[in-house]
Amino acid sequence: MTMEITAIFQIAGVGIIIAIMHTVLKQMGKEDIAHWITVLGFVIGIFMVIDVIAQLFQEIKSIFLFQ
């Protein structure tokens, strides 16, 4: 149970940090870099979600296949 909560907080933390960085860079006039930071944050978030989904499938597999 704590693994899921930790993963949610990690993903939310990455999102908050990326949002702050995007806002600061946009205010500085560096919109191109701000957009790249946002894309990078999205990719990092997707990899974190994929890891959690892989663990979920592993647990489902172990439950139904008795491994």
Side-chain angles (χ1 to χ4, degrees), residues 16-48:
I16 290 170
I17 291 170
I18 295 300
I20 292 170
M21 290 175 64
H22 179 85
T23 304
V24 168
L25 287 169
K26 193 170 182 181
Q27 291 294 324
M28 291 174 57
K30 310 226 181 219
E31 291 187 22
D32 293 339
I33 298 172
H35 290 301
W36 282 110
I37 292 291
T38 303
V39 170
L40 180 66
F42 179 74
V43 169
I44 291 170
I46 290 295
F47 278 122
M48 294 171 83

Side-chain angles (χ1 to χ4, degrees), residues 5-19:
I5 295 172
T6 303
I8 290 171
F9 283 133
Q10 286 177 346
I11 293 168
V14 168
I16 290 170
I17 291 170
I18 295 300

